[in-house]
Amino acid sequence: MKFKALGAFAGLALLAACSSNPTASNTGTGAGAASTGAVPGSEQDLVANVGDRVFFAFDKSNLSSDSDATLGRQASWLAKYPSVNVLVAGNADERGTETYNLALAQRRANTARDYLVAQGVAASRITTISYGKDCPVAAGNDEAAYQQNRNAITSVQGFNPQNCK
């Protein structure tokens, strides 16, 4: 009789342990979409798990090693979600003329697009746009803001993280 009661108690304890909700402790980078609550293949998934932007040096449109890594993750993500199309928006800081910054920002967007295409993403899935200096992501006119505004931002088509027209 004692063995039956002990067995029943052990079974209940095991069942209770299986049904408990563990606390989330995954705080490392590169966590999966399930840990962020983002829908796989969504804009939120791209931002949270891959990274949506690359940064450029002053007056440059060539990629740094950090940019290569981010764009590599984007290419892998796009390979995983072949029905997702993206927009790559090139940006510049406020220094320089409107015409110059539009051209520079377009070169930045094209550089990011070209990297993705070289990694196997179909060019037809990528649209580019240049906002020049008209759509800053960081307010201010100091070097910290300038660094944030010299970028190319990849977003899922239909989503405009900069709220630009």
Side-chain angles (χ1 to χ4, degrees):
M1 180 73 173
K2 286 184 180 184
F3 287 113
K4 284 185 182 180
L6 187 58
F9 180 77
L12 284 174
L14 237 160
L15 188 59
C18 290
S19 67
S20 68
N21 291 329
T23 58
S25 63
N26 185 357
T27 58
T29 58
S35 67
T36 64
V39 175
S42 69
E43 173 71 13
Q44 293 78 17
D45 181 32
L46 172 68
V47 172
N49 298 310
V50 178
D52 67 337
R53 60 196 68 192
V54 294
F55 299 95
F56 296 88
F58 175 70
D59 201 29
K60 302 289 183 196
S61 60
N62 54 315
L63 297 172
S64 67
S65 58
D66 287 345
S67 297
D68 284 346
T70 300
L71 289 168
R73 289 190 307 272
Q74 288 181 10
S76 295
W77 186 85
L78 285 163
K80 189 174 178 180
Y81 302 106
S83 64
V84 174
N85 295 325
V86 293
L87 170 70
V88 179
N91 297 280
D93 65 40
E94 67 182 29
R95 297 171 291 181
T97 67
E98 183 71 23
T99 303
Y100 181 82
N101 282 328
L102 282 169
L104 176 61
Q106 187 64 56
R107 288 193 304 274
R108 290 173 174 168
N110 291 345
T111 297
R113 179 204 58 215
D114 293 348
Y115 186 99
L116 294 171
V117 170
Q119 297 300 306
V121 179
S124 61
R125 296 177 58 197
I126 306 168
T127 304
T128 62
I129 191 168
S130 172
Y131 290 129
K133 62 182 179 179
D134 292 337
C135 203
V137 295
N141 53 359
D142 59 7
E143 188 55 36
Y146 295 156
Q147 288 175 356
Q148 293 298 307
N149 291 326
R150 296 189 303 253
N151 64 55
I153 300 175
T154 303
S155 60
V156 173
Q157 279 287 7
F159 186 82
N160 185 353
Q162 294 179 260
N163 296 315
C164 291
K165 296 177 180 155

